[in-house]
């Protein structure tokens, strides 16, 4: 049977469609580079502010505006505000509407309470590890302990604060408990804030604190749990 005119037209149209070139898809939109750059700047500003707080460059009780800090660090005010909001969430600074941010120094009671909570979390964790880890595992932390001694020897409070957190963070990571690590580090950051009406620790105090890290590792490696518990508690509470 001969195809009808309609069937012939449909066949011709179908052939033309199959032969037609497939149009190229438009390229996917490229995410603007400003987004990662902005987060990178904010992270750098946050790190710089933490160092300034640890070193005493930003003093407890003093108020700082975002524009003034932005000028100091050579950035716009936006990443400074974002970094300061992060510190406000951690309780390290206070937001003052239309004025800026005030560094929230601890009272001696605040410091003692933070130390007590840290000890209640970290000392039992260290003792549990001491009963299960082989002695050689403690040597993995030796470079971190030595980094605190190096920073303390030159009196670099900002470097010491970072190295100190690193030692305690990696120590607690041996437990495998991510939540414990996160909570303990948050408390540790708060404990590193200056105490009101108390001078910042000098080189001798930093060095004494740093040497407690190496002494603790020595006791843990030797399996001396009594000494390890005493050292860990004294290190965290200062008692």
């Amino acid at each position: 049977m001969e195809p009808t005119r309609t069937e012939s037209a449909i066949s011709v149209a179908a052939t033309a469609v199959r032969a037609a070139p497939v149009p190229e898809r438009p390229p996917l939109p490229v995410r603007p580079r400003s987004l990662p750059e902005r987060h990178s700047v904010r992270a750098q500003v946050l790190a710089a502010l933490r160092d300034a707080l640890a070193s005493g460059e930003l003093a407890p009780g003093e108020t700082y505006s975002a524009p003034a800090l932005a000028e100091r660090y050579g950035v716009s005010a936006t990443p400074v505000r974002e970094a300061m909001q992060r510190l406000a969430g951690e309780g390290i600074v206070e937001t003052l509407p239309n004025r800026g941010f005030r560094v929230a120094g601890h009272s001696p009671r605040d410091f003692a309470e933070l130390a007590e909570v840290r000890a209640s979390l970290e000392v039992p964790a260290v003792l549990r590890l001491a009963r299960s880890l082989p002695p050689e595992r403690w040597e993995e932390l030796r470079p971190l302990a030595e980094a605190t001694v190096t920073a303390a020897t030159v009196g670099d409070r900002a470097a010491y604060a970072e190295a100190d957190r690193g030692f305690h963070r990696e120590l607690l990571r041996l437990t495998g408990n991510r939540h414990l690590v996160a909570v303990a580090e948050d408390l540790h950051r708060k404990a590193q804030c200056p105490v009101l009406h108390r001078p910042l620790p000098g080189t001798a105090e930093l060095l004494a604190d740093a040497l407690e890290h190496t002494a603790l590792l020595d006791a843990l490696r030797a399996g001396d749990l009594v000494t390890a518990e005493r050292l860990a508690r004294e290190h965290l509470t200062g008692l």
Side-chain angles (χ1 to χ4, degrees):
M1 175 189 285
E2 292 279 335
T4 66
R5 290 180 61 186
T6 300
E7 290 172 334
S8 296
I10 292 175
S11 176
V12 170
T15 301
V17 168
R18 286 194 296 269
V22 178
E24 294 185 1
R25 292 183 178 180
L28 294 174
V30 178
R31 179 173 292 185
R33 289 184 57 82
S34 60
L35 185 61
E37 286 178 355
R38 174 177 168 181
H39 286 303
S40 175
V41 170
R42 182 178 62 185
Q44 292 172 20
V45 170
L46 180 60
L49 290 172
R50 290 194 192 283
D51 285 350
L53 288 162
S55 67
E57 182 183 344
L58 298 183
E62 294 295 323
T63 300
Y64 301 90
S65 71
L69 291 172
E71 184 176 355
R72 176 185 301 191
Y73 295 118
V75 297
S76 69
T78 297
V80 173
R81 289 193 183 93
E82 291 173 343
M84 277 298 200
Q85 290 295 343
R86 169 75 177 271
L87 294 173
E90 296 175 5
I92 296 174
V93 302
E94 302 168 344
T95 303
L96 302 179
N98 303 318
R99 293 179 58 193
F101 302 88
R102 180 169 57 204
V103 179
H106 292 315
S107 68
R109 177 175 177 177
D110 292 330
F111 184 81
E113 289 177 350
L114 284 167
E116 182 181 355
V117 176
R118 286 188 67 204
S120 69
L121 289 174
E122 295 192 37
V123 174
V126 169
L127 293 178
R128 286 195 301 272
L129 287 170
R131 296 185 182 98
S132 60
L133 286 183
E136 59 272 15
R137 289 294 304 277
W138 297 111
E139 287 305 308
E140 297 174 8
L141 300 175
R142 186 74 60 178
L144 297 172
E146 291 173 351
T148 67
V149 174
T150 299
T153 301
V154 297
D156 189 334
R157 285 188 290 264
Y160 180 77
E162 184 177 353
D164 186 35
R165 289 195 308 274
F167 175 82
H168 286 270
R169 180 173 59 247
E170 295 307 315
L171 172 62
L172 293 179
R173 274 184 180 164
L174 293 173
T175 66
N177 188 327
R178 296 169 300 163
H179 297 288
L180 172 62
V181 174
V183 171
E185 182 157 20
D186 180 57
L187 291 170
H188 197 166
R189 286 190 185 279
K190 291 178 181 178
Q192 288 179 329
C193 290
V195 178
L196 290 168
H197 312 303
R198 180 184 296 178
L200 291 169
T203 300
E205 292 173 277
L206 291 177
L207 187 56
D209 198 63
L211 291 174
E212 290 175 353
H213 295 144
T214 57
L216 175 60
L217 290 182
D218 291 340
L220 290 167
R221 183 174 175 81
D224 185 349
L225 269 64
V226 173
T227 300
E229 180 177 7
R230 176 180 60 79
L231 288 171
R233 197 171 298 281
E234 289 176 353
H235 177 68
L236 292 168
T237 63
L239 300 177

